[in-house]
């Protein structure tokens, strides 16, 4: 049975074309700098993002951590969203492994950090304070796209306050497709950008950190320190190249599928979708109280995977077709009808 897995866009499996590219990849020992496919991926990513250089790393978590470590020293701090991946979902890596303190600030509703509020968090140079060195943004943030004008304002803010500027761009291609702009127009604001190949782009593994030549040289050292030096990594880099060449424009389909799913689910009595915030491939859905367990069990039986919880996140991706959306809506409808039937008969 085909599973329709809506938990995340990380669940995609490599396509035949992608596997063929992996099979055909020319390989070498990348710790010695000998893997031509890894070089090709790094050059491609750097060119696409308009940066001088790039580094292939095993995960987005490591990419962000290295991004923070190339900008900050021990005792420095970075400003970051309270719910940001680089603060809340990376095990405190910057603090644990980099001796770099986060200064979390709540995101605004549109996924930005309010620059007027941030002013108060940039500490004056004083030996009592950590040295504020870096601002980290996330784009998309919970599926929301940061406007280009905001990126410019935040860049000016960084310049005025002598901060460096990092983007957790795990889903930055969803943002560029949504805005109809070249991803360069987003990346050009930042000193470093981390992208994920293993989310909507459909590669099985890997992220790329893009920045200046000097910063990437430093990043390469930290990658080795963190245990991220990989040998014949061209076998996975090939999947990344394939993803960058084939799977960006089609993100549009994921966005359309998300809109369709949201609209149809929201029409079902008892299901409430937070429709106002859906811009890309992600949505938040409120399930009827007391039924959050039974609905996911019911759906699993039908080959549909929902996360468990009262307020769940659903994500569309390249292994979900329009027909799957209709299937999901149908099954949720059936569940709700059954539930109403039981509710009425007791
Ligand atoms: C997935 C993700 C990452 C990186 O996660 P890994 O699982 O380590 O690749 C970073 N930032 C955001 C916003 C993400 O969604």
């Amino acid at each position: 049975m085909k599973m329709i897995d809506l938990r995340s866009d990380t669940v995609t499996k490599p396509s035949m074309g992608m596997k063929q590219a992996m099979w055909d990849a020319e390989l070498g020992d990348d710790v010695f700098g000998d893997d031509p496919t890894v070089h090709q991926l790094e050059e491609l990513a750097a060119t696409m993002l308009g940066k001088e250089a790039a580094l292939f790393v095993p995960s987005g978590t490591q990419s962000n951590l290295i991004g923070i470590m190339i900008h900050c020293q021990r005792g420095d701090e970075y400003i970051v969203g309270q719910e940001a991946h680089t603060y809340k979902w990376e095990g405190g890596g910057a603090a644990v492994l980099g001796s770099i303190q986060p200064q979390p600030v709540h995101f605004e509703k549109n996924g930005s950090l309010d620059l007027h509020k941030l002013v108060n968090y940039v500490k004056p140079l004083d030996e009592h304070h950590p040295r504020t060195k870096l601002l980290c943004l996330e784009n998309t943030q919970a599926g929301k796209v940061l406007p280009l004008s905001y990126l410019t304002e935040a860049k000016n803010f960084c310049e005025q306050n002598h901060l460096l500027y990092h983007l957790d761009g795990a889903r930055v291609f969803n943002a560029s497709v949504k805005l109809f702009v070249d991803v360069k127009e987003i990346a050009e604001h930042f000193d470093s950008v981390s992208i994920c190949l293993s989310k909507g782009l459909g590669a099985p593994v890997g992220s790329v950190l893009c920045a200046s030549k000097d910063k990437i040289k430093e990043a390469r050292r930290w990658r080795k320190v963190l245990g991220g030096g990989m040998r014949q990594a061209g076998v996975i880099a090939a999947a990344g190249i394939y993803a960058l060449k084939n799977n960006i424009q089609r993100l549009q389909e994921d966005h359309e599928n998300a809109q369709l799913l949201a609209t149809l689910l929201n029409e079902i009595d008892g299901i409430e979708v937070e429709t106002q915030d859906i811009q890309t491939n992600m949505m938040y859905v409120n399930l009827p109280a007391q039924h959050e367990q039974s609905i996911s069990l019911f759906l699993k039986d039908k080959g549909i995977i929902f996360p468990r919880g009262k307020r769940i996140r659903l994500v569309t991706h390249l292994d979900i077709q329009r027909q799957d959306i209709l299937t999901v809506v149908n099954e949720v409808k059936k569940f709700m009808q059954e539930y109403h039937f039981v509710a009425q008969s007791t």
Side-chain angles (χ1 to χ4, degrees):
M1 176 161 55
K2 176 193 164 157
M3 298 303 278
I4 304 171
D5 191 341
L6 289 156
R7 289 172 300 172
S8 178
D9 46 8
T10 56
V11 300
T12 57
K13 310 262 170 68
S15 63
M16 280 312 293
M18 185 177 275
K19 284 182 185 162
Q20 188 63 49
M22 296 169 81
W23 179 263
D24 292 340
E26 218 182 305
L27 306 177
D29 186 330
D30 185 55
V31 174
F32 293 150
D34 286 349
D35 192 301
T37 309
V38 172
H39 287 177
Q40 199 193 329
L41 170 64
E42 291 175 344
E43 267 169 41
L44 177 64
T47 305
M48 286 176 74
L49 274 90
K51 299 290 177 205
E52 282 176 3
L55 183 71
F56 183 44
V57 292
S59 69
T61 298
Q62 187 172 104
S63 190
N64 281 322
L65 174 58
I66 295 174
I68 294 167
M69 289 176 83
I70 57 177
H71 297 314
C72 300
Q73 306 296 316
R74 183 173 196 217
D76 292 348
E77 77 171 359
Y78 65 109
I79 298 176
V80 62
Q82 186 73 245
E83 304 79 18
H85 207 280
T86 41
Y87 172 61
K88 194 176 176 184
W89 300 94
E90 296 179 3
V96 174
L97 301 164
S99 300
I100 301 156
Q101 162 172 300
Q103 167 61 70
V105 179
H106 280 291
F107 281 122
E108 300 303 307
K109 264 200 81 62
N110 70 354
S112 70
L113 293 172
D114 183 339
L115 302 174
H116 300 293
K117 290 183 191 162
L118 292 196
V119 177
N120 305 311
Y121 293 101
V122 180
K123 284 123 190 110
L125 277 180
D126 177 316
E127 64 191 34
H128 294 82
H129 300 311
R131 289 165 302 212
T132 316
K133 276 285 172 62
L134 177 69
L135 172 63
C136 283
L137 295 181
E138 191 171 299
N139 194 16
T140 61
Q141 200 285 310
K144 288 172 279 191
V145 178
L146 298 178
L148 291 178
S149 59
Y150 170 77
L151 299 185
T152 306
E153 284 163 31
K155 180 186 161 77
N156 293 339
F157 171 87
C158 286
E159 280 168 6
Q160 282 155 18
N161 292 282
H162 311 288
L163 304 181
L164 293 157
Y165 195 17
H166 172 76
L167 179 67
D168 176 357
R171 297 188 178 86
V172 70
F173 292 103
N174 293 85
S176 68
V177 165
K178 175 70 184 179
L179 292 174
F180 295 107
V181 300
D182 192 309
V183 71
K184 276 195 196 94
E185 290 185 46
I186 297 175
E188 69 182 3
H189 296 86
F190 296 89
D191 295 296
S192 54
V193 179
S194 168
I195 61 167
C196 281
L197 303 166
S198 59
K199 297 269 166 87
L201 299 188
V205 60
S207 279
V208 184
L209 181 68
C210 302
S212 70
K213 253 191 202 138
D214 286 349
K215 291 286 186 184
I216 291 301
K217 188 163 179 237
E218 184 73 6
R220 200 171 290 281
R221 181 187 149 72
W222 282 124
R223 183 185 67 175
K224 192 76 187 98
V225 172
L226 295 170
M230 299 179 285
R231 302 293 177 176
Q232 284 69 27
V235 72
I236 47 176
I241 295 169
Y242 184 92
L244 289 174
K245 288 188 172 167
N246 295 283
N247 291 345
I248 293 176
Q249 281 318 312
R250 64 148 308 285
L251 291 170
Q252 177 66 29
E253 264 173 66
D254 298 344
H255 300 173
E256 283 163 14
N257 282 337
Q259 287 296 342
L260 181 68
L261 180 60
T263 306
L264 297 179
L265 280 182
N266 206 38
E267 284 170 3
I268 302 173
D269 239 0
I271 306 274
E272 189 234 323
V273 185
E274 297 172 16
T275 48
Q276 68 284 358
D277 287 335
I278 306 167
Q279 298 174 14
T280 55
N281 67 333
M282 214 174 266
M283 72 197 68
Y284 288 85
V285 181
N286 297 285
L287 300 175
Q290 280 114 44
H291 291 275
E292 64 258 24
Q293 288 282 351
S294 44
I295 194 167
S296 71
L297 287 174
F298 175 92
L299 292 175
K300 188 145 191 215
D301 216 38
K302 312 285 193 285
I304 298 165
I305 309 183
F306 267 28
R308 294 214 183 156
K310 235 194 91 45
R311 179 180 183 263
I312 59 168
R313 186 189 77 168
L314 299 181
V315 187
T316 55
H317 52 75
L318 110 181
D319 287 352
I320 302 230
Q321 324 307 325
R322 191 186 153 86
Q323 186 52 48
D324 299 327
I325 301 292
L326 303 179
T327 305
V328 169
V329 171
N330 247 330
E331 295 299 343
V332 173
K333 251 184 214 160
K334 272 193 215 157
F335 172 84
M336 292 304 286
Q337 277 159 4
E338 233 163 87
Y339 149 63
H340 278 302
F341 174 73
V342 172
Q344 283 156 16
S345 65
T346 49

